[in-house]
């Protein structure tokens, strides 16, 4: 009986020890591994989900130049208003003429709805500008911000008058201070008096834009992107680079020069999904290539422009050779690439460098990378890319060329893409993977098998798309964090990464999940944003070896759902360890810091939440956010040792001074 009780006691004790088994991770802090590129963690901007007009771009007026195919889309006009098309800007010729109505108690004017309303914030200044002329030498307009549905005596909550004093076209400006915060205001303009007036390029911007620039960016959204500390900004897309057809492809030359003369373009995402259809989704090109380069410079990110390779969107033109540019007509598209490099890097005596200087930036932007084609695949793409590569290499041999492996993360077409990119000696290959939870959990060793001598990887678009729940829920962000340990561990292969898409308007999205969401006055950062930020702000300079039982910690058998990576920051003389527990139970861990001695205080950042389907929102922007803390390192017999407990579905980052 005693022997049986003793056996039971030993069994219970063994079970308890097994249940509390410590996961020992060995980190070699003495030997710096592969260099981590400055471009490792970046941002990918595409004009989807009203990311540009109505989003990052600060303009608050929709269809400001009356160039939409339905010229008054976004506007209500009343009284004696006439649309004309002989205005002062060649590529935006439309304008309106306002004349007095035929009765003293009637009104003439127009009203703009903005993008899902016009958002203004109490105490902030807003710059109204308009190109105008007065046929009789003088005219006056009343400019108002209104609450259309106010229960107060007045709909307008701020008003100013503006005198138009010339028979020639001139730009006029006034500044209005918002006395209230309103998410869905309207801009209303009345003709005052009997003299007619012509109005073109009617605009309203916050004065307080990012870097306080006119024609600038929305400050809070731009600042959120800057706060990631990205090393790369890829722009302008995405599928909009291709267009539904070649006529509606993104053309960078149309996006530079005076903003008043940048022509309208249809957005490819206007009609992609009939179950989320937005008939007013066009591109004003107000946020153009100059602004993208400038923003890259402002936030310390390398610019990576992507240009059309002579192909319309393959998804919308399945294998139709006729939808794409014939091989013998590619020269203008190739020249666009060469001219863009000159625009970005040429001195002020070159044709396109001079145009950059005229826009206010005589210094070159020092562009190092160019993408040719977006998510294209098969022979249609490969044969067109070849002359682009040849021309760029011949004139600009130092420019790094980014090709693409297509839309698949594996499989025949993915493999064909990589074969051709190697054949063409592309510098980087853009991989895309929007995949479910299982893919991210099972891909923790994706890049270990990649050829170290081949083109480098740009993981240019990726996000965990939850099975049956395609939104920014917490669980998806933790699985993204887990997968990113493999990117970091293989920094000798992976040179660039970017989550996608980047931005989304809560009232006007076509695609989710997305990194940052906003309405007209507020924004919030998703759980995935915080994961990206934790990596980007703590990327280090070199990879360090981190293993458990001499194996990478990548959710392998016996690793209890743990993923981990480690880096050295030679500049700060710190070791940074990232550990993710994707399991449903807490895990004891022990970080054996080989090469370090003594006790240390360790800074931690922890992303933890219990609700797997929870997400942040406009109403609760800080529901899920990282928390800073600290733990102690012990002086072990040979090395410094950090013992800790990682809760279920948790991402914890440790920063240890050497």
């Amino acid at each position: 009986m005693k022997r049986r009780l003793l056996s039971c006691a030993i069994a219970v004790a063994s079970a308890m020890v097994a249940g509390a088994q410590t996961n020992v991770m060995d980190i070699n802090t003495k030997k710096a591994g592969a260099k981590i590129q400055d471009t490792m963690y970046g941002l990918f901007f595409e004009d989807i989900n009203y990311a540009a007009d109505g989003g990052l771009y600060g303009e608050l007026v929709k269809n400001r130049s009356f160039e939409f195919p339905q010229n008054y889309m976004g506007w209500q006009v009343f009284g004696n208003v006439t649309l004309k098309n002989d205005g002062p800007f060649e590529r935006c010729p439309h304008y309106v003429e306002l004349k007095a109505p035929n009765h003293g108690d009637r009104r003439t004017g127009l009203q703009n709805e903005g993008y899902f309303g016009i958002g203004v914030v109490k105490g902030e200044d807003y710059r109204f500008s308009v190109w105008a002329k007065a046929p009789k030498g003088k005219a006056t307009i009343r400019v108002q911000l209104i609450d259309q549905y106010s229960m107060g005596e007045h709909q307008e909550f701020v008003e100013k008058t503006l005198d138009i004093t010339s028979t020639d076209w001139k730009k006029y400006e006034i500044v209005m201070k918002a006395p209230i915060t309103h998410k869905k205001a309207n801009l209303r303009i009345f003709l005052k008096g009997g003299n007619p007036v012509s109005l073109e390029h009617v605009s309203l911007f916050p004065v307080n834009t990012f870097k306080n620039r006119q024609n600038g960016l929305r400050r809070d959204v731009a600042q959120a992107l800057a706060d990631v500390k990205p090393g790369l900004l890829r722009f302008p897309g995405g599928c909009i680079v291709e267009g539904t057809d070649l006529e509606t492809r993104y053309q960078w030359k149309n996006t530079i020069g005076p903003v008043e003369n940048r022509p309208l373009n249809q957005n490819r995402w206007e009609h992609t999904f009939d179950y989320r259809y937005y008939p007013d989704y066009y591109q004003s090109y107000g946020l153009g290539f100059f602004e993208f380069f400038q923003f890259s410079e402002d936030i310390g990110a390398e610019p990576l422009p992507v240009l059309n390779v002579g192909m319309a969107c393959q998804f919308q033109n399945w294998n139709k050779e006729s939808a794409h540019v014939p091989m013998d007509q590619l020269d203008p598209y190739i020249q666009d690439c060469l001219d863009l490099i000159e625009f970005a890097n040429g001195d002020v005596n070159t044709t396109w460098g001079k145009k950059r200087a005229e826009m206010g930036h005589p210094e070159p932007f020092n562009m190092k990378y160019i993408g040719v084609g977006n998510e294209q695949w098969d022979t249609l793409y490969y044969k067109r890319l070849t002359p682009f590569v040849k021309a760029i290499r011949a004139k600009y041999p130092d420019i790094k060329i980014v090709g693409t492996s297509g839309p698949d993360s594996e499989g025949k077409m993915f493999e064909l893409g990589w074969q051709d990119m190697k054949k063409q000696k592309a510098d980087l290959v853009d991989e895309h993977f929007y995949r479910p939870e299982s893919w991210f959990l099972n891909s923790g060793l994706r890049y270990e098998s990649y050829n170290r001598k081949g083109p480098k990887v740009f993981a240019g678009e990726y996000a965990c798309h939850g099975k049956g729940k395609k939104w920014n829920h917490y669980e998806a962000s933790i699985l993204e964090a887990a997968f990113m340990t493999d990117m970091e561990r293989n920094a000798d292969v992976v040179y660039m990464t970017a989550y996608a898409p980047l931005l989304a308007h809560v009232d006007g999205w076509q695609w989710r999940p997305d990194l940052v969401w906003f309405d007209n006055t507020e924004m919030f950062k998703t759980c995935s944003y915080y994961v990206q930020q934790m990596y980007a702000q703590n990327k280090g300079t070199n990879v360090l070896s981190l293993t458990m039982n001499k194996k990478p910690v990548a959710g392998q058998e016996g690793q209890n759902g743990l993923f981990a990576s480690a880096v050295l920051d030679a500049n700060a003389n710190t070791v940074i360890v990232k550990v993710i527990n994707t399991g449903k139970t807490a895990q004891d861990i022990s970080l054996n810091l080989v090469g370090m001695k003594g006790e240390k205080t360790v800074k931690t950042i922890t992303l933890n939440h219990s609700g797997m389907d929870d997400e942040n929102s406009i109403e609760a922007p800080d529901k899920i956010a990282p928390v800073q803390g600290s733990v102690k390192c012990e002086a072990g017999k040979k090395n410094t040792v950090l013992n800790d407990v990682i809760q279920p579905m948790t991402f914890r980052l440790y920063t240890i001074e050497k």
Side-chain angles (χ1 to χ4, degrees):
M1 178 64 73
K2 289 182 180 178
R3 188 175 297 169
R4 188 187 305 169
L5 289 173
L6 181 60
S7 298
C8 288
I10 293 172
V12 170
S14 298
M16 291 176 66
V17 171
Q21 180 180 356
T22 299
N23 300 277
V24 180
M25 303 181 193
D26 296 310
I27 303 164
N28 186 349
T29 71
K30 296 186 295 183
K31 184 178 180 181
K35 182 181 185 299
I36 298 170
Q37 302 298 311
D38 292 338
T39 56
M40 183 66 171
Y41 303 111
L43 301 174
F44 161 52
F45 182 94
E46 176 161 17
D47 189 1
I48 185 175
N49 307 317
Y50 288 85
D53 295 306
L56 181 62
Y57 185 45
E59 177 64 81
L60 300 174
V61 173
K62 180 166 65 183
N63 190 17
R64 59 190 175 186
S65 293
F66 310 99
E67 295 297 331
F68 281 29
Q70 287 135 352
N71 298 92
Y72 289 138
M73 184 174 276
W75 295 94
Q76 294 180 44
V77 299
F78 48 90
N80 192 352
V81 179
T82 305
L83 179 74
K84 296 192 172 185
N85 66 354
D86 60 345
F89 307 115
E90 178 184 359
R91 297 190 293 182
C92 297
H94 290 93
Y95 65 97
V96 292
E97 185 179 64
L98 279 57
K99 292 183 177 179
N102 59 7
H103 192 285
D105 282 341
R106 292 196 172 101
R107 303 285 182 266
T108 289
L110 59 164
Q111 181 172 315
N112 192 270
E113 66 187 14
Y115 297 91
F116 313 100
I118 291 175
V120 295
V121 176
K122 182 178 180 179
E124 291 291 324
D125 289 331
Y126 295 86
R127 180 181 290 107
F128 171 87
S129 66
V130 64
W131 283 80
K133 66 177 182 177
K136 293 187 177 181
K138 183 177 181 181
T140 302
I141 57 174
R142 297 162 54 200
V143 182
Q144 302 177 337
L145 291 173
I146 70 164
D147 178 354
Q148 179 76 61
Y149 304 106
S150 173
M151 290 297 289
E153 194 72 23
H154 288 248
Q155 291 176 327
E156 78 276 9
F157 52 83
V158 62
E159 175 180 329
K160 281 197 172 183
T161 59
L162 178 61
D163 292 330
I164 311 303
T165 57
S166 174
T167 56
D168 295 324
W169 287 103
K170 288 178 57 178
K171 186 178 181 179
Y172 298 83
E173 294 183 359
I174 54 174
V175 174
M176 301 185 289
K177 186 180 293 291
I180 62 171
T181 294
H182 201 298
K183 290 181 184 291
K184 294 185 179 292
N186 276 201
L187 172 71
R188 182 181 285 166
I189 300 170
F190 284 119
L191 177 65
K192 182 178 180 181
N195 288 346
V197 66
S198 297
L199 306 177
E200 156 69 302
H201 199 82
V202 182
S203 174
L204 184 70
F205 265 87
V207 171
N208 189 24
T209 58
F210 188 68
K211 302 294 183 180
N212 294 312
R213 292 195 177 95
Q214 294 195 29
N215 196 55
L217 307 181
R218 178 172 158 174
R219 179 177 285 264
D220 60 341
V221 176
Q223 189 61 56
L225 303 185
D227 288 345
V228 173
K229 303 297 183 186
L232 176 82
L233 179 66
R234 173 186 168 211
F235 59 87
C239 293
I240 65 164
V241 170
E242 307 149 9
T244 300
D245 48 36
L246 290 169
E247 184 180 357
T248 55
R249 73 189 189 278
Y250 195 99
Q251 299 186 58
W252 76 267
K253 290 177 180 175
N254 288 342
T255 77
I256 64 170
V259 68
E260 298 87 356
N261 200 31
R262 300 182 189 178
L264 187 78
N265 190 43
Q266 184 185 52
N267 193 306
R268 173 242 194 263
W269 292 105
E270 173 205 325
H271 46 72
T272 302
F273 305 124
D274 60 3
Y275 52 86
R276 292 202 67 81
Y277 186 71
Y278 294 92
D280 61 350
Y281 201 2
Y282 292 86
Q283 296 169 318
S284 72
Y285 281 153
L287 173 54
F289 262 49
F290 178 85
E291 290 77 20
F292 281 123
F293 278 118
Q294 192 173 58
F295 184 51
S296 300
E297 187 175 71
D298 286 342
I299 64 177
E302 291 288 348
L304 171 54
V306 182
L307 270 64
N308 191 288
V309 72
M311 297 182 68
C313 179
Q314 281 179 273
F315 283 107
Q316 296 181 323
N317 300 277
W318 286 100
N319 290 322
K320 293 180 183 177
E321 181 75 48
S322 61
H324 312 300
V325 179
M327 290 296 297
D328 61 356
Q329 297 176 28
L330 283 172
D331 284 353
Y333 292 77
I334 296 171
Q335 193 62 46
D336 275 350
C337 287
L338 301 178
D339 290 345
L340 176 65
I341 298 170
E342 184 176 284
F343 176 77
N345 296 349
D347 66 42
V348 297
N349 297 313
T350 63
T351 300
W352 292 96
K354 181 180 179 182
K355 292 181 184 295
R356 182 197 66 242
E358 290 170 349
M359 295 185 71
H361 202 287
E363 304 82 10
F365 285 115
N366 296 316
M367 183 182 97
K368 301 178 180 68
Y369 306 92
I370 190 168
V372 185
N374 166 72
E375 203 176 74
Q376 262 104 23
W377 66 90
D378 211 351
T379 306
L380 287 171
Y381 172 55
Y382 309 149
K383 67 181 182 181
R384 285 176 172 81
L385 179 63
T386 301
F388 283 82
V389 172
K390 181 179 179 181
I392 295 169
R393 294 281 190 233
K395 190 167 185 179
Y396 297 106
D398 294 334
I399 292 292
K400 304 296 185 185
I401 298 174
V402 182
T404 172
S405 58
D408 299 324
S409 55
E410 53 271 313
K412 179 182 177 181
M413 201 53 65
F414 173 81
E415 292 171 4
L416 286 174
W418 263 96
Q419 288 174 17
D420 194 81
M421 293 308 102
K422 290 177 182 177
K423 178 182 176 182
Q424 302 213 34
K425 294 187 167 83
D427 296 288
L428 295 107
V429 179
D430 186 5
E431 296 186 350
H432 295 178
F433 29 90
Y434 300 108
R435 295 294 184 263
E437 298 96 333
S438 58
W439 189 93
F440 280 83
L441 278 170
N442 296 326
S443 298
L445 296 172
R446 175 179 177 86
Y447 292 114
E448 269 71 9
S449 62
Y450 273 52
N451 187 332
R452 270 42 204 171
K453 297 180 180 179
K456 302 305 179 182
V457 172
F458 174 29
E461 294 184 33
Y462 72 91
C464 180
H465 284 193
K467 188 174 181 180
K469 49 183 182 182
K470 192 178 170 184
W471 62 80
N472 286 105
H473 55 290
Y474 176 74
E475 180 183 23
S477 68
I478 290 299
L479 301 185
E480 290 159 0
F483 173 75
M484 291 174 74
T485 60
D486 191 55
M487 295 176 176
E488 187 163 88
R489 185 165 50 247
N490 292 279
D492 59 327
V493 168
V494 182
Y495 274 24
M496 302 175 177
T497 67
Y499 179 100
L502 182 62
L503 299 174
H505 196 300
V506 297
D507 294 328
W509 56 271
Q510 295 86 36
W511 182 289
R512 63 181 181 185
D514 306 285
L515 207 64
V516 175
W517 291 76
F518 53 87
D519 66 9
N520 287 344
T521 61
E522 298 177 273
M523 52 78 65
F524 70 89
K525 304 165 183 177
T526 65
C527 313
S528 294
Y529 170 94
Y530 288 120
V531 166
Q532 296 294 320
Q533 186 182 53
M534 288 170 69
Y535 270 90
Q537 290 189 359
N538 299 278
K539 73 179 187 313
T541 57
N542 299 86
V543 177
L544 294 177
S545 171
L546 183 155
T547 59
M548 184 189 299
N549 295 323
K550 299 183 179 181
K551 295 180 180 179
V553 183
Q556 300 190 70
E557 184 177 353
Q559 294 183 341
N560 300 313
L562 292 170
F563 292 72
S565 60
V567 300
L568 167 71
D569 189 332
N571 299 321
N573 200 31
T574 58
V575 170
I576 303 168
V577 183
K578 303 174 181 77
V579 181
I580 298 93
N581 180 6
T582 65
K584 306 305 180 186
T585 58
Q587 294 294 328
D588 291 335
I589 66 166
S590 181
L591 305 183
N592 182 29
L593 297 156
V594 179
M596 295 179 68
K597 302 288 186 181
E599 296 183 357
K600 298 177 184 292
T601 298
V602 179
K603 295 179 181 178
T604 64
I605 305 174
T606 305
L607 186 64
N608 170 262
H609 188 73
S610 59
M612 295 299 100
D613 287 348
D614 289 351
E615 58 183 336
N616 292 335
S617 64
I618 292 290
E619 296 73 24
D622 301 319
K623 184 174 185 176
I624 308 169
V627 176
Q628 295 187 354
S630 64
V631 296
K632 290 283 187 181
C633 271
E634 301 172 1
K637 292 181 180 180
K638 295 182 178 180
N639 308 300
T640 299
V641 177
L642 191 159
N643 295 310
D644 199 8
V645 179
I646 305 292
Q647 295 302 313
M649 299 301 289
T650 296
F651 175 17
R652 179 164 286 176
L653 183 150
Y654 304 89
T655 302
I656 309 136
E657 292 186 4
K658 291 193 73 177

